[in-house]
Every structure is written in structure tokens, then in C-alpha cells.
């Protein structure tokens, strides 16, 4: 899946567990777990909500990369 995320890091920075993050975002703990594992791509609305809860831009949590994309592009 080409959507990568750093949700677990940002959630840890807030000091909340998956259950609490799910409650804050209006989703289940399982949804937060699936996002963190990369098994589920959130809707744009949920991605925006998670970024707002973490106090960062969406791009700070979620990164989309096509196959063959590299971090260190010119």
C-alpha cells in the first residue's frame, strides 16, 4: 500500500492510547490500529481530523508514495 503514516508517533507524543485517540476522532480503537498498521487508508475527513487532533499538517502524518518513489529526490 503506497500510503504510509506516522500516526503512532504522533499519538504517543500526545500521550494517548488507541482507544482514546479513536474516541477523540469518533472512530473505533480498531480503526486507529488498522491505520497505524497500514491496513486501512482513512478518508480525507478522518485524515484531516487526526492531523488537527495531533496539531500538525496532514502531510506530517500521512505520506503517499508511488512504487519507485524515493525520499531523496532532487
Amino acid at each position: 500500500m503506497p500510503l504510509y503514516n506516522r500516526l503512532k508517533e504522533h499519538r504517543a507524543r500526545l500521550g494517548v492510547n488507541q482507544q482514546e485517540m479513536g474516541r477523540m476522532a469518533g472512530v473505533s480503537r480498531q480503526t486507529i490500529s488498522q491505520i497505524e498498521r497500514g491496513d486501512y487508508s482513512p478518508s480525507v475527513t478522518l485524515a484531516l481530523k487526526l492531523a488537527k487532533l495531533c496539531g500538525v499538517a496532514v502531510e506530517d502524518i500521512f505520506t503517499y508514495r508511488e512504487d519507485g518513489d524515493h525520499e531523496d529526490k532532487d
Side-chain angles (χ1 to χ4, degrees):
M1 180 178 276
L3 185 65
Y4 300 91
N5 75 80
R6 297 175 52 206
L7 181 58
K8 186 174 184 176
E9 294 172 43
H10 288 283
R11 180 175 57 77
R13 230 177 266 147
L14 290 175
V16 298
N17 62 33
Q18 290 178 339
Q19 182 74 36
E20 293 165 329
M21 178 62 82
R23 192 175 306 117
M24 292 164 54
V27 298
S28 69
R29 177 204 59 80
Q30 291 88 347
T31 298
I32 299 300
S33 176
Q34 289 176 335
I35 292 169
E36 289 181 358
R37 287 193 321 259
D39 293 338
Y40 177 76
S41 295
S43 67
V44 173
T45 304
L46 180 53
L48 289 166
K49 188 180 285 190
L50 291 169
K52 185 173 183 176
L53 288 169
C54 293
V56 298
V58 172
E59 294 85 359
D60 292 332
I61 299 177
F62 298 98
T63 305
Y64 177 78
R65 284 186 247 156
E66 293 284 345
D67 289 336
D69 277 359
H70 299 287
E71 286 289 316
D72 52 339
K73 284 188 169 183
D74 292 335

